[in-house]
Amino acid sequence: MAHAIVYTEIGSPDVLHLVEIPDPTPGPGEVVVRLEAVGVNPLDAKLRRGARPSPPITEPRRVGFDGAGVIVALGEGVSGFAEGDRVAIDNVLGTYASALAVPVSHVFRLSDGVTMAEGAALGIPIGTAYQCLRSLEVGKGDILLVHAGSGAVGQAVVQFAVLWGARVIATGSPERFEQLRALGAEPVAYGDGLADRVRELAPDGVTVALDCAGTDEAIQTSLELVEDRERIATIVRGPDAADFGIRAFSGGSPVPLTEEELAWRKEAIPLTINLIEAGDFQVELGPEMPLADAARAHELLERHAARGKIILVP
């Protein structure tokens, strides 16, 4: 039997339970992946506690969208992959498990220079960061202000933007400044007077802003510093972004992503795998914990008590 984390009610981390499940079998166009690392994302916790809308729970609900492992079975019609291939999984519900049947369109081959933990850390953060920057048309000559630059999405935003020739100013706490500088950003502390501190760094102005924090300060500072509202976006304040006249990408937004934006999110994964292999991109990894400790992982996540991506190990 395989194992998976499920919950049967909305609530605190202790609603998460490890259960036995039948060994998955691949359907047409699917592969079964034996998971070796699972990425823990804020979205997982938001869905669990009801901070993001979801249908009524009528059966045990699975958790997680990102992971990495080894293909152990191929479904009918699958080509280009073989049993034993190391792969990353992107955007498939149920990765908090020891094994999972996955549509082949959602798996990406991992090169030898990328660890399972790194592969499990890609999915949501990398896809979100890459798509947001593509949608905002960030490139050479831009001065980008990213709020919460030391988070998983923020760090990816910093690295992509720097690679594309933008200058990046990233908010964070002082103890995270060294990490932000290492990625190529100019760090600035959040809190009272943020707009003035950004102006000191960029007296000629900021051309684009991305909110990964969701605070009123992040929204208001962006509005104050960026003239073009079409170049201000949030990934957290989706429900009220329109009230500010700014764009929202996910984050509970009622406006769905376009087909092109969804394609960008998928495009980001193999591109980033190649960048990691080449030594041009890094993923900050946090603590590794057994799959059975998923509740504790969510507690750490919600208390912001861990630096780097929390990884569950089945």
Side-chain angles (χ1 to χ4, degrees):
M1 297 285 284
H3 294 84
I5 297 293
V6 302
Y7 60 102
T8 56
E9 59 181 324
I10 298 295
S12 61
D14 61 12
V15 302
L16 298 176
H17 300 289
L18 182 70
V19 299
E20 287 190 338
I21 59 171
D23 289 324
T25 57
E30 293 183 337
V31 297
V32 171
V33 177
R34 183 186 72 239
L35 284 143
E36 296 187 6
V38 177
V40 177
N41 289 300
L43 177 61
D44 307 339
K46 290 175 183 177
L47 289 168
R48 186 216 73 234
R49 69 175 185 264
R52 287 283 177 84
S54 60
I57 299 175
T58 57
E59 59 184 3
R61 182 162 293 170
R62 300 284 293 273
V63 191
F65 296 91
D66 297 339
V70 175
I71 293 177
V72 294
L74 304 174
E76 180 183 348
V78 172
S79 61
F81 289 94
E83 292 183 14
D85 283 349
R86 302 169 69 252
V87 294
I89 300 170
D90 168 49
N91 196 28
V92 179
L93 179 62
T95 55
Y96 285 30
S98 58
L100 185 66
V102 182
V104 72
S105 59
H106 290 264
V107 296
F108 302 89
R109 185 174 283 101
L110 286 178
S111 52
D112 292 339
V114 181
T115 68
M116 288 293 187
E118 288 171 331
L122 300 179
I124 288 177
I126 296 300
T128 300
Y130 184 87
Q131 172 265 307
C132 288
L133 294 180
R134 291 292 300 269
S135 296
L136 291 167
E137 300 181 344
V138 173
K140 188 174 181 179
D142 272 319
I143 300 177
L144 167 68
L145 173 63
V146 56
H147 300 276
S150 61
V153 176
Q155 290 193 35
V157 165
V158 169
Q159 292 178 86
F160 285 133
V162 169
L163 283 169
W164 299 347
R167 179 186 172 197
V168 182
I169 299 171
T171 72
S173 56
E175 60 266 26
R176 301 293 277 153
F177 281 9
E178 183 177 349
Q179 174 68 9
L180 289 170
R181 289 192 183 100
L183 299 178
E186 299 169 58
V188 60
Y190 50 72
D192 291 344
L194 173 60
D196 290 336
R197 289 191 293 277
V198 174
R199 284 194 185 96
E200 289 177 6
L201 290 173
D204 293 330
V206 172
T207 59
V208 57
L210 179 61
D211 163 42
C212 302
T215 62
D216 289 343
E217 173 190 70
I219 300 293
Q220 294 301 328
T221 300
S222 299
L223 290 170
E224 186 174 341
L225 296 176
V226 180
E227 183 176 351
D228 184 356
R229 296 294 186 265
E230 283 295 306
R231 303 202 75 199
I232 303 173
T234 178
I235 65 167
V236 187
R237 296 283 288 273
D240 61 353
D243 296 338
F244 299 106
I246 66 175
R247 304 169 73 181
F249 304 119
S250 300
S253 172
V255 180
L257 296 174
T258 66
E259 289 298 319
E260 183 176 42
E261 288 168 338
L262 291 170
W264 284 335
R265 291 200 173 199
K266 186 168 292 188
E267 174 182 301
I269 308 305
L271 181 149
T272 304
I273 290 170
N274 290 336
L275 288 172
I276 294 172
E277 174 81 12
D280 295 328
F281 196 100
Q282 61 178 273
V283 174
E284 185 182 28
L285 297 174
E288 291 191 1
M289 307 169 65
L291 179 64
D293 287 349
R296 180 165 166 260
H298 276 215
E299 290 172 359
L300 291 176
L301 180 74
E302 292 179 311
R303 289 194 290 110
H304 305 285
R307 290 186 181 182
K309 173 67 67 172
I310 300 172
I311 299 294
L312 295 174
V313 181

